[in-house]
Amino acid sequence: MKFRTFFAATALAFCTSLPAWAVELVMVEQPGCYTCRLWNQEIAPIYPKTEAGQFAPLRRAELRHPPKDLTYARAVNFTPTFILIDEGQEIARLEGYPGEDFFWWHIETLLAEKAGFEGATR
């Protein structure tokens, strides 16, 4: 009985110490998208290792099959479109990918202004 109580307490402590991802970055993409492929080459390997990527983990969505658990403020017409989500609702977006410098500046600015991000210098 003591083992069961210890195990339950340990499991509860572990689960409550995990971060709750209220903010996430959704990348809406589609097959054959040239700029999506470019983003995947230039940014995707780095993104989860950055402060921005840890603050707002990346989630991928297909243009033609939007996630049912998210609400976009308006329809997505271009790929890639990066949508900043907080608790299932869109709070900001970046349409397109014109290069890595613009992407980092813009995403960090959106995160700072819309989600309270205090990491990475701009």
Side-chain angles (χ1 to χ4, degrees):
M1 188 62 140
K2 289 182 182 182
F3 176 74
R4 198 179 299 169
T5 304
F6 173 76
F7 182 73
T10 303
L12 180 62
F14 177 74
C15 289
T16 57
S17 67
L18 293 175
W21 300 118
V23 177
E24 61 186 339
L25 182 66
V26 175
M27 178 185 179
V28 180
E29 56 191 330
Q30 65 180 332
C33 171
Y34 171 76
T35 50
C36 297
R37 188 171 70 238
L38 192 59
W39 187 89
N40 282 321
Q41 292 170 352
E42 296 177 353
I43 305 295
I46 306 164
Y47 185 78
K49 300 174 187 174
T50 66
E51 291 179 56
Q54 292 172 8
F55 184 82
L58 182 68
R59 177 175 174 183
R60 294 174 183 268
E62 288 190 32
L63 177 65
R64 306 278 183 241
H65 306 286
K68 296 184 187 321
D69 63 326
L70 302 179
T71 303
Y72 299 153
R74 63 185 192 279
V76 177
N77 297 312
F78 306 100
T79 57
T81 294
F82 300 91
I83 302 176
L84 189 58
I85 299 287
D86 188 8
E87 296 183 9
Q89 303 288 319
E90 177 179 341
I91 57 173
R93 77 169 53 187
L94 168 61
E95 294 176 324
Y97 174 67
E100 111 178 73
D101 291 336
F102 178 78
F103 174 81
W104 288 117
W105 177 85
H106 202 78
I107 288 300
E108 289 176 2
T109 299
L110 289 177
L111 286 170
E113 292 176 356
K114 303 293 184 177
F117 177 63
E118 297 178 357
T121 57
R122 292 184 271 147

